[in-house]
Amino acid sequence: MRRRPLGRTGLEVSELGFGCASWWGKPRFEERAALGLVHEAIDLGITLFDTGASYSAGEAEPRLGRALKGRDASDLVVATKAGTFHAGGGRIGRDMTPAAVVASAERSLRNLGLESLGLLQLHGPSAAELNDDMLAALESLKARGLARAVGLNSFDPAVIDQALGLSAIDVVMVDYNVLRPEREPLIARAAAAGKGVLAGMPLAMGHTRPLLARLKGPRDLWYAARALANHRGELARGRRFRFLHELPDMTGSQAALAYVLADPQVSAAVFGATRAEHLRENAAASGLAPAAGLMARIRAAQA
């Protein structure tokens, strides 16, 4: 597993990160299997684990904490998010005030069983919320040793652009994959500003594969229903990339990850997995380079 610097934070992370969210964190997904995936990810050399206070109805953080209990976490960078929370009844609450963000970070540390977070990210802040009070609160978390780096997760390019001019922000997470080539100039600007760049959704949520081909169990039905409800546009665009799953030398998931990691300015691509075979398949993408011909086909499909 190769590693890359996380911007100018002084941290290094595995170029592939494991996302602890969605079905992975839900009680319906067997606890032993969920914890086993984290343990195997560590054994495969993955050092970046990304979660959030609101993920999996608030269950993801405590589950990741249980997975890390008794493990040597000194080499890991555990990232979580603040500003959103589980509000009950399947609803996500939002409180992006500085006091709430600090309280969320402190609660996350308890949930995760850690003394310090590798990375704390604001979860979808507005540009107006990146004010002096918020930046001071984030700096205070670093000064207290509660977070080694701070940043934000946003799929709004305008918010990311504003963050690039803020010295207090160390890392940005953007939605970058074969369906999002327009993020590349943004990533270049972030890297030029010294920010670490995490690529969220590097597999495009599986939308490059036919929907029916993914249905193998209850978890797949859950993801398929979410895709049909919220991501019909991405499903339509994903049809152009079916060829990724017909390559002779790598799987479709590996090709998608190799495309993202072909940008040296990306610190890590963060994927989720609920099957050990998928985890191993994705981890094997570290170090794979897409051939020029494959990149040309991807660029043509993006046009």
Side-chain angles (χ1 to χ4, degrees):
M1 176 65 61
R2 297 187 180 185
R3 297 192 184 191
R4 301 187 181 193
L6 187 61
R8 297 175 185 163
T9 63
L11 298 171
E12 264 196 347
V13 293
S14 54
E15 66 179 5
L16 291 166
F18 188 79
C20 300
S22 300
W23 190 266
W24 175 89
K26 291 183 175 293
R28 285 175 286 175
F29 184 50
E30 185 185 10
E31 173 94 352
R32 183 172 61 178
L35 272 54
L37 287 166
V38 172
H39 299 160
E40 183 162 1
I42 294 172
D43 293 341
L44 289 167
I46 291 175
T47 65
L48 173 64
F49 292 85
D50 181 75
T51 190
S54 63
Y55 287 174
S56 307
E59 298 289 343
E61 275 189 347
R63 174 167 276 184
L64 179 55
R66 293 191 293 274
L68 297 177
K69 187 175 182 179
R71 305 282 302 205
D72 179 6
S74 60
D75 194 38
L76 305 183
V77 175
V78 178
T80 194
K81 301 178 184 72
T84 59
F85 59 93
H86 176 55
R91 296 176 295 111
I92 300 295
R94 191 176 188 282
D95 189 343
M96 202 66 68
T97 60
V101 166
V102 170
S104 180
E106 294 170 341
R107 188 163 51 250
S108 293
L109 287 168
R110 293 192 295 271
N111 286 339
L112 294 163
L114 299 174
E115 294 183 359
S116 179
L117 298 167
L119 171 65
L120 177 72
Q121 304 169 89
L122 301 178
H123 193 200
S126 68
E129 288 165 335
L130 298 177
N131 53 42
D132 290 345
D133 290 341
M134 178 63 78
L135 299 178
L138 294 177
E139 292 281 23
S140 76
L141 289 170
K142 289 202 292 185
R144 294 167 58 195
L146 301 187
R148 297 173 68 186
V150 296
L152 58 91
N153 170 207
S154 175
F155 300 153
D156 182 344
V159 172
I160 297 291
D161 261 326
Q162 176 167 333
L164 301 187
L166 302 174
S167 61
I169 299 298
D170 303 309
V171 179
V172 294
M173 175 179 261
V174 301
D175 52 338
Y176 179 46
N177 52 60
V178 294
L179 304 184
R180 293 279 188 278
E182 66 273 17
R183 298 295 187 248
E184 288 165 11
L186 183 63
I187 290 170
R189 293 196 297 275
K195 311 302 183 186
V197 179
L198 301 180
M201 301 196 299
L203 298 175
M205 295 184 286
H207 296 333
T208 59
R209 296 180 62 207
L211 196 61
L212 293 179
R214 307 184 224 167
L215 304 182
K216 298 178 181 178
R219 74 196 77 173
D220 306 305
L221 290 171
W222 183 83
Y223 281 111
R226 187 176 68 168
L228 287 170
N230 302 319
H231 304 288
R232 288 182 180 269
E234 287 89 344
L235 285 170
R237 289 197 300 277
R239 295 190 189 102
R240 304 175 194 169
F241 298 90
R242 295 285 193 259
F243 64 86
L244 294 177
H245 303 275
E246 301 167 358
L247 301 173
D249 54 347
M250 63 179 75
T251 68
S253 293
Q254 290 171 343
L257 291 168
Y259 165 82
V260 170
L261 294 176
D263 188 335
Q265 299 167 122
V266 171
S267 301
V270 179
F271 68 87
T274 54
R275 291 184 172 89
E277 60 268 28
H278 291 167
L279 169 62
R280 296 179 199 125
E281 173 189 341
N282 293 344
S286 179
L288 290 182
L294 175 57
M295 287 299 288
R297 291 185 71 182
I298 290 173
R299 293 302 186 197
Q302 291 169 336

